[in-house]
Amino acid sequence: MVGETRDDLRRLVNYKEHFIVRRQAETGKKKKLRDLAYPSGRLRSVHERLKFHLNKIKQPDYLFSPRKGKSQRDNAAAHIGQCQYLTLDLKQFYPSTNSRMVKRWFENVLRMEEDVAGLLTHIATVDGKVSFGSPLTPVLCSLVHRPMFDKISELCHHRGLNYTVWVDDLTISGRFVPQKMLSKIRKIIQEHGLRSHDIRFRTGNRPVFITGIGVLGRELVAPRALHLSIRASFEEYHDAVTDVERDAVEQKLLSQLGTLRHVTGAGSKAGQKAADQMHSLRQKRDKRQRLVQEALVQKAKLRSQRVPIAQGPAPF
């Protein structure tokens, strides 16, 4: 399953510390300083293989990450046209997913023998919890906490509410989201050994941002930060002096405008405007490149038409 024999896995567990990278890094929007401990080398390869196999398990429709082919835009689009929104985060989602939870999942869900479950738990966790920075952690956590997510899904379905999960971000929307839904959801989360925070009730008369994508009525809107970046890039583009500078900014602008078009949709006004701007930039770039090419051809032609100086005997 993971490309290693049982004895090799046991040796890997015994020397696990040699394959763990420990460092501090700023993560998230708030740039919090975190102590990271994640696998490298041979241990990371085992994590990659475990991730490959666990990804074969069918995921529920409400889960958008980690899930192949799903994006933050898809997560936000699931809530288009709703009136009220409830969003909350799972506090310390990865650090709170301990080795006991992981081992119990291997035993109860995958029906592994205790010694095998224990061995894989040692392999899959670092310092008694899942590793922030491991490729295995997102899918493993989604499966370990599947009973909790499913229970919240059933509660929302019974109320006729939309419900999506993006890693540790939960979003519930509908025509009316009762206040008591929050207490019920938080109770379910607590029963499964986790906590929630950053709770918000919002209405749809202003953009409601879900995993970075704004929902306004039946439209998706890009975050203000993207619009500001595009404006700054256009100023930089117009201030560029050389073609090299202009080409570099142009590439950045095309990427930003492409993101805006993807978020808002090709058929929206914002998407169509972004497409027109991208088309204009490409036309200007093609024209510059064509003029440069024509100048090079003309220069080569002039060289070939030069009259060679006649060679004769020296006058002495």
Side-chain angles (χ1 to χ4, degrees), residues 4 21 44 80 85 116 130 152 164 192 207 250 260 295 299 308:
E4 302 276 357
V21 176
R44 186 176 182 87
I80 281 179
Y85 301 82
V116 178
V130 296
I152 297 173
T164 62
H192 287 81
E250 199 170 57
L260 177 63
K299 193 174 181 180

Side-chain angles (χ1 to χ4, degrees), residues 284-301:
K284 290 176 182 177
R285 180 189 61 190
D286 293 344
K287 183 179 179 180
R288 285 199 311 273
Q289 291 177 349
R290 188 169 63 251
L291 289 174
V292 169
Q293 190 63 32
E294 288 175 357
L296 290 173
V297 171
Q298 188 66 24
K299 193 174 181 180
K301 192 181 291 185

